[in-house]
Amino acid sequence: MNTEIVKILGNDFTELSRAAEIIKAGGLVVFPTETVYGLGADATNPEAAKKIYEAKGRPSDNPLIIHIAEPLEAEKYTYTSPAYYALADAFMPGPLTVVMKSRDAIPPTTRGGLDTVAVRCPENPIARELIRLSEVPIAAPSANRSGSPSPTTAAHAVDDMLDRCEMIIDGGECDFGLESTIVKIEDDNSLTLLRPGKITAEDLVAKGFAVRIANAVLEELPDGAVALSPGMKYKHYAPHSPVLLLEGELSKCVEYICDNSKGADAIICYREDSAAFSAVPGVTIYDFGTRDDIKGQAHVLFNILREIDKHDFDAVYAPLPPREGIGLALYNRMIRAAAHKIIRL
Ligand code: TXA
Ligand code: MG
């Protein structure tokens, strides 16, 4: 398949009508959102949804998020409850995905055979206009091949999806850089946080919600455990070099790396610490921004992981992020990249 790459500059959205025609005809279009790039297809067309699974190399029991242009469109595809309207009021359009019971309008192929469906109304203007012009909800997972980090630039999406989709829309770097927060609305109107993101647990609590954090957000699921979100049971975001998360005083971390070095290590490090880590022989430093700039770290993490994957390092060291606020989203992605290997010094 020949992939057309279309760059959108400013507010000139003329090219989007062709992208919408591709979606309507059951084809695949990569598009930017405020979180990461998505690989989109008509969510109401099971054949189109099947193409997404094939292009990504994704198991077909891992459901897709459906993207809508207006929060109220969720009524056509799910059984909405008062909690949904409260979430929509507070956070939509934006980087929040809500899992609710599905209506039949969304075929089982799109939702991985579950009776629920995940709905998100993105705020990126290109994404919203594409959905509006397509006149259908757009099913879109992150536009990476299964197992590699989500793309945060069109170049990343080209690396993974060239010749696997009809069009890639280049809308520049994604604002946030980590995937949306996912919550499930429970029968008692409380929320289960399935994936942390820019909308934090604290943000949800501040709006009066009772929030429970799913076990798999923080820990490795024991063998045989049922994941509340199918995506949690798959290995994700892991570079081919082993990643280790270090927690402890700077001097102890430097000492640990020196003691264990085989000569080709990478360190994802806070800017304040780079001078100290530069002393380690044979090390490649990846700048993670300043320690307090969690948003900056979220913005660059996946790009750094992709850069690291171009090399063969003996080990990749990174700091253990804080678990509060947006830090929880980083923590969740980084413990997965590290296959839960944390070294406390
Ligand atoms: O920011 C995002 O959410 C991006 C952009 C493109 O919108 N999309 C994204 O999709 O990250 P994906 O497919 O890479 O991740 C969606 C996650 C998967 O782990 C999947 O298992 C989970 O959402 N999910 C989807 N539908 C679900 C459902 N009905 N119940 C529980 N988990 C669900
Ligand atoms: Mg993904």
Side-chain angles (χ1 to χ4, degrees):
M1 185 190 303
N2 233 338
T3 304
E4 187 186 354
I5 301 172
V6 172
K7 197 175 178 93
I8 297 212
L9 297 166
N11 290 329
D12 181 3
F13 291 169
T14 29
E15 300 273 18
L16 287 185
S17 46
R18 275 190 314 116
E21 290 312 315
I22 294 170
I23 298 281
K24 283 183 188 170
L28 301 181
V29 175
V30 169
F31 63 99
T33 81
E34 67 277 19
T35 56
V36 300
Y37 274 77
L39 173 66
D42 177 355
T44 64
N45 176 345
E47 292 309 315
K50 235 183 251 165
K51 288 186 196 165
I52 292 182
Y53 290 106
E54 280 164 19
K56 265 185 79 86
R58 175 174 183 143
S60 61
D61 66 347
N62 193 359
L64 308 173
I65 294 175
I66 69 163
H67 296 68
I68 53 180
E70 295 297 333
L72 290 185
E73 286 169 16
E75 293 171 350
K76 285 191 262 175
Y77 311 111
T78 68
Y79 295 93
T80 49
S81 64
Y84 175 75
Y85 297 100
L87 288 171
D89 251 10
F91 304 111
M92 292 184 193
L96 179 71
T97 298
V98 183
V99 175
M100 291 171 285
K101 191 164 180 334
S102 182
R103 290 185 189 270
D104 292 342
I106 300 299
T109 316
T110 302
R111 43 189 157 100
L114 298 181
D115 60 1
T116 54
V117 66
V119 181
R120 151 157 149 76
C121 177
E123 73 183 329
N124 177 294
I126 297 174
R128 284 186 86 187
E129 185 62 7
L130 175 64
I131 304 162
R132 205 183 59 76
L133 293 170
S134 301
E135 298 173 323
V136 286
I138 296 187
S142 48
N144 52 289
R145 291 274 296 159
S146 216
S148 57
S150 296
T152 56
T153 66
H156 297 163
V158 169
D159 283 345
D160 282 18
M161 287 300 156
L162 196 69
D163 300 334
R164 294 177 178 273
C165 60
E166 275 80 3
M167 186 185 276
I168 295 176
I169 301 171
D170 178 353
E173 269 183 43
C174 298
D175 271 356
F176 185 54
L178 300 177
E179 307 86 346
S180 62
T181 304
I182 305 181
V183 293
K184 179 169 191 223
I185 300 178
E186 304 294 350
D187 290 341
D188 63 359
N189 278 324
S190 68
L191 303 178
T192 303
L193 181 70
L194 300 178
R195 182 173 71 184
K198 188 179 181 191
I199 308 291
T200 64
E202 292 87 339
D203 292 337
L204 297 163
V205 168
K207 292 289 170 192
F209 285 99
V211 181
R212 187 178 76 85
I213 297 178
N215 291 346
V217 167
L218 295 166
E219 292 149 30
E220 196 164 14
L221 281 180
D223 275 352
V226 176
L228 293 174
S229 177
M232 290 174 177
K233 70 180 182 221
Y234 298 107
K235 190 166 179 266
H236 254 320
Y237 321 115
H240 68 265
S241 305
V243 178
L244 298 158
L245 301 182
L246 296 182
E247 189 181 47
E249 273 172 39
L250 178 61
S251 60
K252 288 194 176 154
C253 294
V254 173
E255 198 182 307
Y256 180 89
I257 297 175
C258 284
D259 288 351
N260 290 280
S261 176
K262 296 194 198 86
D265 297 319
I267 304 181
I268 301 175
C269 91
Y270 297 133
R271 202 161 295 162
E272 297 90 321
D273 300 345
S274 66
F277 282 121
S278 304
V280 181
V283 85
T284 304
I285 303 251
Y286 290 89
D287 178 19
F288 207 19
T290 52
R291 185 181 302 272
D292 291 337
D293 183 12
I294 304 274
K295 268 195 191 159
Q297 293 154 26
H299 187 72
V300 296
L301 177 67
F302 287 157
N303 188 52
I304 291 177
L305 293 181
R306 280 180 180 260
E307 285 303 313
I308 282 175
D309 240 355
K310 293 177 185 163
H311 306 273
D312 280 317
F313 292 111
D314 297 318
V316 177
Y317 296 97
L320 188 71
R323 293 190 192 189
E324 302 92 57
I326 292 174
L328 187 66
L330 268 179
Y331 181 94
N332 169 263
R333 303 326 187 264
M334 289 174 73
I335 53 168
R336 288 165 152 244
H340 299 268
K341 286 191 290 289
I342 300 172
I343 296 169
R344 296 201 159 85
L345 298 167

